[in-house]
Amino acid sequence: AAAAATTYPSAYLDPGRLRNVAVIAHVDHGKTTLMDRLLRQCGADIPHERAMDSISLERERGITIASKVTSVSWKENELNMVDTPGHADFGGEVERVVGMVEGAVLVVDAGEGPLAQTKFVLAKALKYGLRPLLLLNKVDRPSVSEERCNEVESLVFDLFANLGATEEQLDFPVLYASAKEGWASSTFTKDPPAGAKNMSQLLDAIVRHVPPPKANLDGPFQMLVSMMEKDFYLGRILTGRVSSGIVRVGDKIHGLRSSESGIEKIEEGKEASVGYGYVFDSDFSIYLEDHTPIPMVECVGQVWEPVVKLMKKKGTSMVLIDSAGAGDIISMAGLGSPSIGHTVANTEVMAALPTVELDPPTISMTFGVNDSPLAGRDGT
Ligand code: GDP
């Protein structure tokens, strides 16, 4: 224990307290509402409904397009929750996400039962060996009875079985919830007692049922990039799960990818240093720790000069962190070239991590300049 204490000075690098969980569902079964509730319960200051849908198109259409991660603290654990799209059109997103987590919450509308996308996302989760928890949502609806819940539960069980689930995966816990009213219960009820009208039972079930990541803190730092965002000030923001080692702000890292000719280096990271203590909101406006906004003009000179490196989304805010260890899902800025599927690693590492195989697109299109001899002669 003493040796461990010296190697990992900060307790928050301990992978044992982490849980990486994907929330998967058919569209409209209540995933976004559920995520809002979880964030609220864990103390996030939610500025608006559908906090996880940060792209304005997502808010407008009420759908999730891109996956996103947010971490919530629950008791002594830290839960990295990944919201995934339920549309088959964005299936590649689901595939990348399930490769990053050890557990999943399968949200099913108790009235509608499992639908096409339930099957699609569940198949991906099972393929990656996850043991999903089943959350029957919208139990508050008058049409949802205990019999209906039992029926849906056995439909989901059959779906698991048809998709080739293992004995272990078939033994899934079931929770009953009304994301809209903000509660989840491990036994069927339509009206939990006042003190239990919250998400505690779901959060406890996640901690109990989802294993902590298997992570090697001693190895060199390596991370597979699973998501990518662009920020006007920070440039490219890469998100992924740290697969081994510890990364600290200022560390020298580089991007790697496997190509036909072997491992290829993408870009040498610039050395970086960071001013700590700044918090960003989801649109990357910038705030001091006490939430006083800093005018953008000032930001340019004072804060943006150093390259910002490590971040984590806590609730709805982006928070800078000084280090992160294996098993954790984090975001980093500083490298401009690596992209999804590439490995970011300590400069001593010259091996790329295996990438996730994505299903081929249903339709692909190529747009180009019209180079036909008839170009410009067609019509008026
Ligand atoms: P998503 O597409 O899975 O993210 O689903 P949303 O969270 O957008 O929910 C779809 C619709 O179902 C919205 O109109 C929600 O208000 C509604 N809804 C979500 N959860 C519940 C619930 O527990 N009970 C009821 N009655 N409606 C819900």
Side-chain angles (χ1 to χ4, degrees), residues 87-104:
H87 284 280
D89 315 8
F90 311 117
E93 288 279 322
V94 180
E95 194 109 40
R96 287 197 300 264
V97 161
V98 290
M100 224 170 37
V101 296
E102 289 78 36

Side-chain angles (χ1 to χ4, degrees), residues 203-272:
L203 291 159
D204 285 338
I206 290 173
V207 172
R208 245 191 343 263
H209 189 73
V210 176
K214 284 196 200 85
N216 170 19
L217 282 174
D218 294 317
F221 164 70
Q222 273 181 299
M223 179 181 108
L224 182 70
V225 179
S226 298
M227 300 177 200
M228 190 172 79
E229 283 167 90
K230 211 162 98 186
D231 178 70
F232 184 69
Y233 293 98
L234 299 172
R236 199 172 276 207
I237 298 177
L238 307 173
T239 300
R241 184 172 67 159
V242 180
S243 72
S244 73
I246 296 173
V247 60
R248 293 185 179 83
V249 169
D251 278 0
K252 276 191 141 179
I253 52 173
H254 62 181
L256 299 166
R257 75 168 150 225
S258 334
S259 66
E260 276 160 24
S261 52
I263 304 295
E264 197 179 305
K265 206 153 128 176
I266 305 168
E267 186 205 41
E268 185 85 48
K270 300 172 204 80
E271 265 193 82

Side-chain angles (χ1 to χ4, degrees), residues 28-33 50 137-138 140-141 178-180:
D28 272 354
H29 280 194
K31 194 168 46 68
T32 311
T33 313
R50 310 192 68 87
N137 191 32
K138 309 199 187 181
D140 59 283
R141 288 208 165 147
S178 168
K180 198 168 164 182

Side-chain angles (χ1 to χ4, degrees), residues 5-301:
T6 48
T7 327
Y8 322 128
S10 141
Y12 92 98
L13 289 178
D14 173 17
R17 52 171 255 302
L18 291 172
R19 297 293 184 277
N20 299 322
V21 192
V23 184
I24 55 178
H26 182 88
V27 65
D28 272 354
H29 280 194
K31 194 168 46 68
T32 311
T33 313
L34 180 78
M35 289 296 287
D36 268 11
R37 289 301 179 168
L38 289 175
L39 290 178
R40 262 173 232 268
Q41 171 145 1
C42 297
D45 184 12
I46 310 263
H48 43 70
E49 294 285 308
R50 310 192 68 87
M52 290 299 280
D53 283 354
S54 52
I55 307 176
S56 51
L57 181 66
E58 293 184 326
R59 272 200 207 119
E60 184 189 314
R61 309 298 277 300
I63 54 165
T64 304
I65 296 172
S67 306
K68 27 211 117 84
V69 193
T70 191
S71 99
V72 295
S73 300
W74 178 243
K75 297 180 180 168
E76 63 279 8
N77 297 97
E78 190 171 327
L79 277 46
N80 291 320
M81 310 287 301
V82 194
D83 186 7
T84 56
H87 284 280
D89 315 8
F90 311 117
E93 288 279 322
V94 180
E95 194 109 40
R96 287 197 300 264
V97 161
V98 290
M100 224 170 37
V101 296
E102 289 78 36
V105 176
L106 177 67
V107 180
V108 177
D109 183 323
E112 292 191 340
L115 292 178
Q117 294 311 307
T118 314
K119 183 175 172 189
F120 175 81
V121 289
L122 179 62
K124 303 276 178 213
L126 294 176
K127 182 176 128 193
Y128 279 82
L130 305 183
R131 287 178 59 207
L133 291 89
L134 173 61
L135 186 89
L136 296 179
N137 191 32
K138 309 199 187 181
V139 171
D140 59 283
R141 288 208 165 147
S143 60
V144 177
S145 60
E146 188 163 8
E147 290 72 57
R148 176 62 191 157
C149 284
N150 291 337
E151 223 172 271
V152 172
E153 200 184 311
S154 50
L155 287 173
V156 175
F157 184 90
D158 294 344
L159 192 57
F160 268 68
N162 290 336
L163 291 169
T166 62
E167 289 283 309
E168 245 200 338
Q169 287 171 325
L170 280 171
D171 190 20
F172 54 85
V174 185
L175 289 105
Y176 307 85
S178 168
K180 198 168 164 182
E181 294 176 4
W183 55 265
S185 162
S186 51
T187 50
F188 178 82
T189 168
K190 281 180 97 77
D191 190 23
K197 270 204 160 84
N198 54 46
M199 288 289 168
S200 302
Q201 297 205 18
L202 173 60
L203 291 159
D204 285 338
I206 290 173
V207 172
R208 245 191 343 263
H209 189 73
V210 176
K214 284 196 200 85
N216 170 19
L217 282 174
D218 294 317
F221 164 70
Q222 273 181 299
M223 179 181 108
L224 182 70
V225 179
S226 298
M227 300 177 200
M228 190 172 79
E229 283 167 90
K230 211 162 98 186
D231 178 70
F232 184 69
Y233 293 98
L234 299 172
R236 199 172 276 207
I237 298 177
L238 307 173
T239 300
R241 184 172 67 159
V242 180
S243 72
S244 73
I246 296 173
V247 60
R248 293 185 179 83
V249 169
D251 278 0
K252 276 191 141 179
I253 52 173
H254 62 181
L256 299 166
R257 75 168 150 225
S258 334
S259 66
E260 276 160 24
S261 52
I263 304 295
E264 197 179 305
K265 206 153 128 176
I266 305 168
E267 186 205 41
E268 185 85 48
K270 300 172 204 80
E271 265 193 82
S273 61
V274 153
Y276 301 110
Y278 298 97
V279 177
F280 306 87
D281 72 10
S282 47
D283 299 322
F284 286 100
S285 320
I286 129 163
Y287 294 84
L288 288 174
E289 235 170 351
D290 64 0
H291 292 266
T292 338
I294 311 174
M296 270 304 169
V297 196
E298 249 175 78
C299 295
V300 177

